[in-house]
Coordinates of all heavy atoms in Angstrom, one line a residue:
M1 N -5.1 21.3 16.3 CA -5.9 20.4 15.6 C -5.3 18.9 15.8 O -4.1 18.8 15.4 CB -6.0 20.8 14.2 CG -6.9 19.8 13.3 SD -7.2 20.4 11.6 CE -8.4 21.6 11.9
T2 N -6.1 18.0 16.2 CA -5.5 16.7 16.3 C -5.5 15.9 15.1 O -6.2 16.3 14.1 CB -6.5 15.9 17.4 OG1 -7.8 15.7 16.9 CG2 -6.7 16.7 18.7
L3 N -4.7 14.8 15.0 CA -4.7 14.0 13.9 C -6.1 13.3 13.7 O -6.5 13.0 12.5 CB -3.6 13.0 14.0 CG -2.2 13.6 14.0 CD1 -1.2 12.5 14.0 CD2 -1.9 14.4 12.8
K4 N -6.8 13.0 14.7 CA -8.1 12.4 14.6 C -9.1 13.4 13.9 O -9.9 12.9 13.0 CB -8.6 12.0 16.0 CG -10.0 11.6 16.1 CD -10.1 10.2 15.6 CE -11.5 9.6 15.8 NZ -12.0 8.8 14.7
T5 N -9.0 14.6 14.3 CA -9.8 15.6 13.6 C -9.5 15.7 12.2 O -10.5 15.8 11.4 CB -9.6 17.0 14.2 OG1 -10.0 16.9 15.7 CG2 -10.5 18.1 13.7
L6 N -8.2 15.7 11.8 CA -7.8 15.8 10.3 C -8.4 14.6 9.6 O -8.8 14.7 8.5 CB -6.3 15.8 10.3 CG -5.7 17.2 10.6 CD1 -4.1 17.0 10.6 CD2 -6.1 18.3 9.6
A7 N -8.2 13.3 10.3 CA -8.6 12.1 9.7 C -10.2 12.2 9.4 O -10.7 11.8 8.3 CB -8.4 10.9 10.5
D8 N -10.9 12.6 10.5 CA -12.4 12.7 10.3 C -12.7 13.8 9.1 O -13.7 13.5 8.3 CB -13.0 13.2 11.6 CG -13.0 12.0 12.6 OD1 -12.8 10.8 12.2 OD2 -13.1 12.4 13.8
E9 N -12.1 14.9 9.1 CA -12.2 15.9 8.0 C -12.0 15.3 6.6 O -12.7 15.6 5.7 CB -11.5 17.2 8.3 CG -12.0 18.0 9.5 CD -11.1 19.2 9.7 OE1 -10.2 19.4 9.0 OE2 -11.5 19.9 10.7
T10 N -10.9 14.5 6.6 CA -10.6 13.9 5.3 C -11.7 12.9 4.8 O -12.2 12.9 3.6 CB -9.3 13.1 5.5 OG1 -8.3 14.0 5.8 CG2 -8.9 12.4 4.2
V11 N -12.3 12.1 5.8 CA -13.5 11.3 5.5 C -14.6 12.0 5.0 O -15.3 11.7 4.0 CB -13.8 10.4 6.6 CG1 -15.1 9.6 6.4 CG2 -12.6 9.4 7.0
D12 N -14.9 13.2 5.7 CA -16.0 14.1 5.2 C -15.8 14.6 3.8 O -16.7 14.6 3.0 CB -16.1 15.3 6.2 CG -16.7 14.9 7.5 OD1 -17.3 13.8 7.7 OD2 -16.4 15.6 8.5
E13 N -14.5 15.0 3.6 CA -14.2 15.4 2.1 C -14.4 14.3 1.1 O -14.9 14.5 0.1 CB -12.8 16.0 2.1 CG -12.7 17.3 2.8 CD -11.3 17.9 2.8 OE1 -10.6 17.7 1.6 OE2 -10.8 18.6 3.7
L14 N -14.0 13.1 1.5 CA -14.2 12.0 0.6 C -15.7 11.7 0.4 O -16.1 11.4 -0.8 CB -13.5 10.7 1.2 CG -11.9 10.7 1.2 CD1 -11.5 9.5 1.9 CD2 -11.5 10.5 -0.3
D15 N -16.4 11.9 1.5 CA -17.9 11.6 1.3 C -18.4 12.6 0.4 O -19.3 12.3 -0.5 CB -18.5 11.7 2.7 CG -19.8 11.1 2.8 OD1 -20.1 10.1 2.0 OD2 -20.6 11.5 3.6
R16 N -18.1 13.9 0.4 CA -18.5 15.0 -0.5 C -18.1 14.8 -1.9 O -18.7 15.2 -2.9 CB -18.2 16.3 0.1 CG -19.0 16.8 1.3 CD -18.7 18.2 1.7 NE -17.3 18.6 1.9 CZ -16.7 18.5 3.2 NH1 -17.5 18.1 4.2 NH2 -15.5 18.8 3.3
A17 N -16.8 14.2 -2.0 CA -16.2 14.1 -3.4 C -16.9 12.9 -4.2 O -17.0 13.0 -5.4 CB -14.7 13.7 -3.2
F18 N -17.5 12.0 -3.4 CA -18.2 10.9 -4.1 C -19.7 10.8 -3.5 O -20.0 9.9 -2.8 CB -17.5 9.6 -3.7 CG -16.1 9.6 -4.2 CD1 -15.1 9.7 -3.3 CD2 -15.7 9.4 -5.6 CE1 -13.8 9.8 -3.7 CE2 -14.4 9.4 -6.0 CZ -13.4 9.6 -5.2
P19 N -20.5 11.8 -4.0 CA -21.9 11.9 -3.5 C -22.7 10.6 -3.8 O -23.7 10.3 -3.2 CB -22.4 13.1 -4.1 CG -21.6 13.4 -5.3 CD -20.3 12.8 -5.0
D20 N -22.4 9.9 -4.8 CA -23.1 8.7 -5.3 C -22.9 7.5 -4.4 O -23.6 6.5 -4.6 CB -22.9 8.4 -6.8 CG -23.2 9.5 -7.7 OD1 -24.1 10.3 -7.3 OD2 -22.6 9.5 -8.9
V21 N -21.8 7.5 -3.7 CA -21.5 6.4 -2.7 C -21.9 6.8 -1.3 O -21.5 7.8 -0.7 CB -19.9 6.2 -2.8 CG1 -19.6 5.0 -1.9 CG2 -19.5 5.9 -4.2
S22 N -22.7 5.9 -0.7 CA -23.1 6.1 0.6 C -22.2 5.3 1.6 O -22.2 4.1 1.5 CB -24.6 5.7 0.8 OG -24.9 5.9 2.2
L23 N -21.5 6.0 2.5 CA -20.7 5.4 3.5 C -21.3 5.2 4.7 O -21.9 6.1 5.4 CB -19.4 6.2 3.7 CG -18.5 6.6 2.5 CD1 -17.4 7.5 3.0 CD2 -17.9 5.3 1.9
S24 N -21.3 3.8 5.2 CA -21.9 3.5 6.5 C -20.9 4.1 7.6 O -19.8 4.5 7.4 CB -22.0 2.0 6.6 OG -20.7 1.4 6.7
D25 N -21.5 4.1 8.8 CA -20.6 4.6 9.9 C -19.5 3.8 10.1 O -18.4 4.2 10.4 CB -21.5 4.7 11.3 CG -22.5 5.8 11.2 OD1 -22.4 6.8 10.4 OD2 -23.5 5.8 12.0
E26 N -19.7 2.5 10.0 CA -18.5 1.5 10.1 C -17.4 1.7 9.1 O -16.2 1.8 9.5 CB -19.0 0.1 10.0 CG -18.0 -1.0 10.2 CD -18.5 -2.4 10.1 OE1 -19.6 -2.6 10.0 OE2 -17.6 -3.3 9.9
V27 N -17.8 2.0 7.9 CA -16.8 2.3 6.8 C -16.2 3.6 7.0 O -14.9 3.7 6.9 CB -17.5 2.2 5.5 CG1 -16.5 2.7 4.4 CG2 -18.0 0.8 5.1
R28 N -16.9 4.6 7.4 CA -16.4 5.9 7.7 C -15.3 5.8 8.9 O -14.2 6.4 8.8 CB -17.4 6.9 8.2 CG -18.3 7.4 7.1 CD -19.4 8.2 7.5 NE -18.9 9.4 8.1 CZ -18.7 10.6 7.3 NH1 -18.9 10.5 6.0 NH2 -18.2 11.7 7.9
Q29 N -15.5 5.0 9.9 CA -14.6 4.9 11.1 C -13.3 4.1 10.5 O -12.2 4.4 11.0 CB -15.2 4.1 12.2 CG -16.2 4.8 12.9 CD -17.0 4.0 13.9 OE1 -16.8 2.8 14.1 NE2 -17.9 4.6 14.8
K30 N -13.5 3.1 9.7 CA -12.3 2.3 9.2 C -11.5 3.2 8.3 O -10.2 3.3 8.5 CB -12.8 1.2 8.4 CG -13.3 -0.1 9.1 CD -13.7 -1.2 8.2 CE -14.3 -2.3 9.1 NZ -14.7 -3.4 8.3
I31 N -12.1 4.1 7.5 CA -11.3 4.9 6.6 C -10.6 6.1 7.5 O -9.5 6.3 7.3 CB -12.2 5.7 5.6 CG1 -12.7 4.7 4.6 CG2 -11.5 6.9 4.9 CD1 -13.8 5.3 3.7
S32 N -11.2 6.5 8.5 CA -10.7 7.5 9.4 C -9.5 6.9 10.1 O -8.4 7.5 10.3 CB -11.7 7.9 10.5 OG -11.2 8.8 11.3
R33 N -9.6 5.7 10.6 CA -8.4 5.0 11.2 C -7.3 4.8 10.2 O -6.1 4.9 10.7 CB -8.9 3.7 11.8 CG -9.5 3.7 13.2 CD -9.7 2.4 13.9 NE -11.1 2.4 14.1 CZ -12.0 1.5 13.6 NH1 -11.6 0.6 12.9 NH2 -13.2 1.5 13.9
I34 N -7.6 4.5 9.0 CA -6.4 4.4 7.9 C -5.8 5.7 7.8 O -4.6 5.8 7.7 CB -7.0 3.8 6.7 CG1 -7.6 2.4 6.9 CG2 -6.0 4.0 5.5 CD1 -8.3 1.8 5.7
V35 N -6.5 6.7 7.7 CA -6.0 8.1 7.4 C -5.2 8.5 8.6 O -4.2 9.0 8.5 CB -7.1 9.1 7.1 CG1 -6.6 10.5 7.1 CG2 -7.8 8.8 5.8
E36 N -5.7 8.2 9.8 CA -5.0 8.6 11.0 C -3.7 7.9 11.2 O -2.6 8.5 11.4 CB -5.8 8.3 12.3 CG -5.3 8.7 13.7 CD -6.3 8.4 14.8 OE1 -7.4 8.0 14.5 OE2 -5.7 8.5 15.9
R37 N -3.6 6.5 10.9 CA -2.4 5.8 10.9 C -1.3 6.4 9.9 O -0.2 6.4 10.1 CB -2.7 4.3 10.7 CG -3.1 3.5 11.9 CD -3.2 2.1 11.7 NE -3.8 1.6 10.5 CZ -5.1 1.1 10.6 NH1 -5.8 1.1 11.7 NH2 -5.7 0.7 9.5
T38 N -1.8 6.8 8.7 CA -1.0 7.3 7.7 C -0.4 8.6 8.2 O 0.8 8.9 7.9 CB -1.8 7.6 6.4 OG1 -2.3 6.3 5.9 CG2 -1.0 8.1 5.3
L39 N -1.2 9.4 8.8 CA -0.7 10.7 9.4 C 0.4 10.4 10.4 O 1.3 11.1 10.5 CB -1.9 11.5 9.9 CG -2.8 12.1 8.9 CD1 -4.0 12.8 9.6 CD2 -2.1 13.1 8.0
I40 N 0.1 9.5 11.3 CA 1.1 9.1 12.3 C 2.5 8.7 11.7 O 3.5 9.2 12.2 CB 0.5 8.0 13.2 CG1 -0.6 8.6 14.1 CG2 1.6 7.4 14.1 CD1 -1.4 7.5 14.8
K41 N 2.4 7.9 10.6 CA 3.6 7.5 10.0 C 4.3 8.8 9.4 O 5.5 8.8 9.5 CB 3.2 6.5 8.9 CG 2.9 5.1 9.4 CD 2.6 4.3 8.2 CE 2.0 2.9 8.6 NZ 1.7 2.1 7.4
A42 N 3.6 9.7 8.9 CA 4.2 10.8 8.3 C 4.8 11.7 9.4 O 6.0 12.2 9.1 CB 3.1 11.6 7.5
V43 N 4.2 11.9 10.5 CA 4.7 12.6 11.6 C 6.0 12.0 12.1 O 7.1 12.6 12.3 CB 3.7 12.8 12.7 CG1 4.3 13.3 14.0 CG2 2.6 13.7 12.3
E44 N 6.0 10.6 12.3 CA 7.2 9.9 12.8 C 8.3 9.9 11.8 O 9.4 10.1 12.2 CB 6.8 8.4 13.0 CG 5.9 8.2 14.2 CD 5.4 6.8 14.5 OE1 5.6 6.0 13.4 OE2 5.0 6.4 15.5
H45 N 8.0 9.9 10.5 CA 9.1 10.0 9.5 C 9.7 11.4 9.4 O 10.9 11.6 9.4 CB 8.5 9.7 8.1 CG 9.5 9.9 7.0 ND1 10.6 9.0 6.7 CD2 9.7 11.0 6.1 CE1 11.3 9.5 5.7 NE2 10.7 10.6 5.3
T46 N 8.9 12.4 9.6 CA 9.3 13.8 9.6 C 10.2 14.0 10.8 O 11.2 14.7 10.8 CB 8.1 14.7 9.6 OG1 7.4 14.5 8.3 CG2 8.6 16.2 9.6
T47 N 9.7 13.5 11.9 CA 10.5 13.7 13.2 C 11.9 13.1 13.0 O 12.9 13.6 13.6 CB 9.7 13.0 14.3 OG1 8.4 13.7 14.5 CG2 10.4 13.2 15.7
S48 N 11.9 11.9 12.6 CA 13.2 11.3 12.4 C 14.2 11.9 11.4 O 15.3 12.1 11.7 CB 13.0 9.8 11.8 OG 14.2 9.2 11.5
A49 N 13.6 12.5 10.3 CA 14.3 13.3 9.3 C 14.9 14.6 10.0 O 16.0 14.9 9.8 CB 13.6 13.6 8.1
H50 N 14.1 15.2 10.8 CA 14.4 16.5 11.5 C 15.6 16.2 12.5 O 16.5 16.9 12.7 CB 13.3 17.2 12.1 CG 12.4 17.9 11.2 ND1 11.2 18.2 11.4 CD2 12.6 18.2 9.9 CE1 10.5 18.7 10.4 NE2 11.5 18.7 9.4
R51 N 15.4 15.0 13.2 CA 16.4 14.7 14.2 C 17.8 14.4 13.6 O 18.8 15.0 14.0 CB 15.9 13.4 14.9 CG 16.2 13.3 16.3 CD 15.8 12.0 17.0 NE 14.3 12.1 17.3 CZ 13.5 11.1 17.2 NH1 13.9 10.0 16.8 NH2 12.4 11.4 17.6
T52 N 17.7 13.6 12.5 CA 19.0 13.5 11.7 C 19.6 14.8 11.2 O 20.7 15.0 11.3 CB 18.7 12.5 10.5 OG1 18.1 11.3 11.0 CG2 20.0 12.2 9.7
A53 N 18.8 15.6 10.7 CA 19.3 16.9 10.2 C 19.9 17.8 11.3 O 20.9 18.4 11.1 CB 18.2 17.7 9.4
T54 N 19.2 17.7 12.4 CA 19.7 18.5 13.5 C 21.1 18.0 14.0 O 22.1 18.8 14.2 CB 18.8 18.3 14.8 OG1 17.5 18.9 14.3 CG2 19.2 19.1 15.9
V55 N 21.3 16.7 14.1 CA 22.6 16.1 14.5 C 23.7 16.5 13.5 O 24.7 16.8 13.8 CB 22.5 14.6 14.7 CG1 23.8 14.0 15.0 CG2 21.6 14.3 15.9
I56 N 23.4 16.3 12.2 CA 24.3 16.6 11.1 C 24.6 18.1 11.1 O 25.8 18.5 10.9 CB 23.9 16.1 9.8 CG1 23.8 14.6 9.7 CG2 24.7 16.7 8.6 CD1 23.1 14.0 8.5
G57 N 23.7 18.9 11.2 CA 23.9 20.4 11.1 C 24.6 21.0 12.2 O 25.3 22.0 12.1
C58 N 24.6 20.4 13.4 CA 25.2 21.0 14.6 C 26.7 20.8 14.6 O 27.5 21.5 15.2 CB 24.6 20.5 15.9 SG 23.0 21.2 16.0
G59 N 27.3 19.6 13.9 CA 28.7 19.4 13.9 C 29.3 19.5 15.2 O 29.1 18.7 16.1
P60 N 30.2 20.5 15.4 CA 30.9 20.6 16.7 C 30.0 20.8 17.9 O 30.3 20.6 19.0 CB 31.8 21.8 16.5 CG 31.6 22.4 15.2 CD 30.5 21.5 14.5
E61 N 28.8 21.3 17.7 CA 27.9 21.5 18.8 C 27.0 20.3 19.0 O 25.8 20.4 19.2 CB 27.0 22.7 18.5 CG 27.7 24.0 18.6 CD 28.3 24.3 17.0 OE1 27.9 23.7 16.1 OE2 29.1 25.2 17.0
A62 N 27.6 19.1 19.0 CA 26.9 17.8 19.0 C 26.1 17.8 20.4 O 25.1 17.2 20.4 CB 27.9 16.7 18.9
D63 N 26.7 18.4 21.5 CA 26.0 18.3 22.7 C 24.7 19.0 22.6 O 23.6 18.5 23.1 CB 26.9 19.0 23.8 CG 26.2 18.8 25.2 OD1 25.8 17.6 25.6 OD2 26.2 19.7 26.0
L64 N 24.6 20.1 22.0 CA 23.4 20.9 21.8 C 22.4 20.0 20.9 O 21.2 19.9 21.2 CB 23.7 22.2 21.0 CG 22.4 23.0 20.7 CD1 21.6 23.3 21.9 CD2 22.9 24.3 19.9
A65 N 23.0 19.4 19.9 CA 22.2 18.4 19.1 C 21.5 17.2 19.9 O 20.3 17.0 19.7 CB 23.0 17.9 17.9
H66 N 22.4 16.8 20.9 CA 21.8 15.7 21.7 C 20.6 16.2 22.6 O 19.7 15.6 22.8 CB 22.9 15.0 22.5 CG 23.8 14.2 21.7 ND1 23.4 13.0 21.1 CD2 25.2 14.5 21.3 CE1 24.5 12.6 20.5 NE2 25.5 13.4 20.6
K67 N 20.9 17.4 23.1 CA 19.8 18.0 23.9 C 18.5 18.2 23.2 O 17.4 18.0 23.6 CB 20.3 19.3 24.5 CG 21.4 19.1 25.6 CD 21.9 20.4 26.1 CE 22.9 20.2 27.1 NZ 23.5 21.6 27.6
I68 N 18.7 18.8 21.9 CA 17.5 18.9 21.0 C 16.8 17.6 20.7 O 15.6 17.5 20.8 CB 17.9 19.7 19.8 CG1 18.4 21.1 20.1 CG2 16.8 19.7 18.7 CD1 19.0 21.8 18.9
N69 N 17.7 16.6 20.5 CA 17.2 15.2 20.2 C 16.4 14.8 21.3 O 15.3 14.2 21.2 CB 18.3 14.4 19.8 CG 17.8 13.0 19.3 OD1 16.8 13.0 18.6 ND2 18.5 12.0 19.7
E70 N 16.9 14.9 22.6 CA 16.1 14.5 23.7 C 14.8 15.2 23.9 O 13.8 14.5 24.2 CB 17.0 14.7 25.0 CG 18.2 13.8 25.2 CD 19.1 14.3 26.4 OE1 18.6 15.2 27.2 OE2 20.1 13.8 26.5
Q71 N 14.8 16.4 23.6 CA 13.4 17.2 23.6 C 12.5 16.7 22.6 O 11.3 16.5 22.8 CB 13.8 18.7 23.5 CG 14.3 19.4 24.7 CD 13.4 19.2 25.9 OE1 12.2 19.4 25.8 NE2 14.1 18.9 27.1
L72 N 13.1 16.4 21.3 CA 12.2 15.8 20.3 C 11.7 14.4 20.7 O 10.5 14.1 20.5 CB 13.1 15.7 19.0 CG 13.3 17.1 18.3 CD1 14.3 16.9 17.2 CD2 12.1 17.7 17.8
E73 N 12.5 13.6 21.4 CA 12.0 12.3 21.8 C 11.0 12.4 22.8 O 10.0 11.7 22.8 CB 13.2 11.5 22.3 CG 14.1 11.0 21.2 CD 15.3 10.1 21.7 OE1 15.4 9.9 22.9 OE2 16.2 9.8 20.9
L74 N 11.1 13.4 23.8 CA 10.1 13.5 24.8 C 8.8 14.0 24.1 O 7.7 13.6 24.4 CB 10.5 14.6 25.8 CG 11.6 14.2 26.8 CD1 12.1 15.3 27.6 CD2 11.1 13.0 27.6
S75 N 8.9 14.9 23.2 CA 7.7 15.4 22.3 C 7.1 14.2 21.6 O 5.8 14.1 21.6 CB 8.1 16.5 21.5 OG 8.6 17.6 22.1
N76 N 7.9 13.4 21.0 CA 7.4 12.3 20.3 C 6.6 11.3 21.2 O 5.6 10.8 20.8 CB 8.5 11.6 19.6 CG 8.0 10.6 18.4 OD1 6.9 10.9 17.8 ND2 8.7 9.7 18.2
V77 N 7.2 11.0 22.4 CA 6.5 10.2 23.4 C 5.1 10.7 23.8 O 4.1 10.1 23.8 CB 7.4 10.0 24.5 CG1 6.6 9.3 25.8 CG2 8.6 9.1 24.3
S78 N 5.1 12.1 24.0 CA 3.9 12.7 24.3 C 2.9 12.6 23.2 O 1.7 12.4 23.3 CB 4.2 14.1 24.7 OG 3.0 14.9 24.9
L79 N 3.3 12.9 22.0 CA 2.5 12.8 20.8 C 1.9 11.4 20.7 O 0.7 11.2 20.4 CB 3.2 13.2 19.5 CG 2.5 13.0 18.2 CD1 1.3 13.9 18.1 CD2 3.4 13.2 17.0
T80 N 2.8 10.3 20.8 CA 2.3 9.0 20.7 C 1.3 8.7 21.7 O 0.3 8.0 21.5 CB 3.5 8.0 20.7 OG1 4.5 8.3 19.7 CG2 3.1 6.6 20.6
A81 N 1.5 9.1 22.9 CA 0.6 8.8 24.1 C -0.8 9.5 23.8 O -1.8 8.9 23.9 CB 1.2 9.3 25.4
N82 N -0.7 10.7 23.2 CA -2.0 11.4 22.9 C -2.7 10.7 21.7 O -3.9 10.6 21.8 CB -1.7 12.9 22.5 CG -1.3 13.8 23.8 OD1 -1.7 13.5 24.9 ND2 -0.6 14.8 23.6
L83 N -2.0 10.3 20.7 CA -2.6 9.6 19.7 C -3.2 8.2 20.1 O -4.3 8.0 19.6 CB -1.5 9.4 18.5 CG -1.1 10.7 17.8 CD1 0.0 10.3 16.8 CD2 -2.3 11.4 17.1
S84 N -2.4 7.6 21.0 CA -3.0 6.3 21.4 C -4.3 6.4 22.2 O -5.2 5.6 22.2 CB -2.0 5.6 22.3 OG -0.8 5.2 21.5
A85 N -4.3 7.6 22.9 CA -5.6 7.9 23.7 C -6.7 8.1 22.8 O -7.9 7.9 23.2 CB -5.4 9.1 24.6
L86 N -6.5 8.5 21.5 CA -7.6 8.7 20.6 C -8.4 7.3 20.2 O -9.4 7.4 19.7 CB -7.1 9.4 19.3 CG -6.6 10.9 19.6 CD1 -6.0 11.4 18.3 CD2 -7.8 11.7 20.0
R87 N -7.6 6.3 20.3 CA -8.1 5.0 19.8 C -9.2 4.4 20.6 O -9.7 4.7 21.5 CB -7.0 3.9 19.6 CG -6.1 4.4 18.5 CD -5.0 3.5 18.4 NE -4.1 4.0 17.4 CZ -3.0 3.4 17.0 NH1 -2.6 2.3 17.6 NH2 -2.2 4.0 16.2

């Protein structure tokens, strides 16, 4: 499931939660973009926290931690590229 899909589902849920408010397509798109950016920030923060924990937890196996970190960075670049393509 993509972050765009999650953002759109969130907008749908908000629409159902407030049936007395009619959202235009433009407003729905703006809300979806806000939710998507928030999800991206959460993913980036979690990635950073996991990276830090990996380096600290490996101690003497710092080389392994660096290899894991490199893989995480590659995954993050790929994720960012995929998310940018959604815009």
Side-chain angles (χ1 to χ4, degrees):
M1 179 174 286
T2 66
L3 295 180
K4 175 73 173 140
T5 302
L6 286 172
D8 289 342
E9 287 177 3
T10 301
V11 173
D12 291 340
E13 288 181 37
L14 286 170
D15 201 26
R16 287 191 299 274
F18 302 100
D20 298 335
V21 178
S22 178
L23 299 176
S24 68
D25 287 339
E26 182 181 348
V27 170
R28 290 176 65 85
Q29 289 174 356
K30 286 180 181 180
I31 293 171
S32 181
R33 278 189 236 118
I34 291 168
V35 171
E36 186 179 350
R37 282 193 302 265
T38 302
L39 290 170
I40 290 169
K41 287 178 187 177
V43 168
E44 288 174 346
H45 176 74
T46 302
T47 300
S48 176
H50 287 161
R51 217 180 278 144
T52 302
T54 300
V55 171
I56 291 170
C58 286
E61 294 86 15
D63 187 43
L64 176 60
H66 289 291
K67 289 178 183 177
I68 292 170
N69 189 37
E70 287 174 9
Q71 287 299 318
L72 288 171
E73 286 180 7
L74 289 173
S75 296
N76 197 26
V77 168
S78 175
L79 174 64
T80 302
N82 286 336
L83 293 175
S84 295
L86 293 173
R87 293 182 185 173

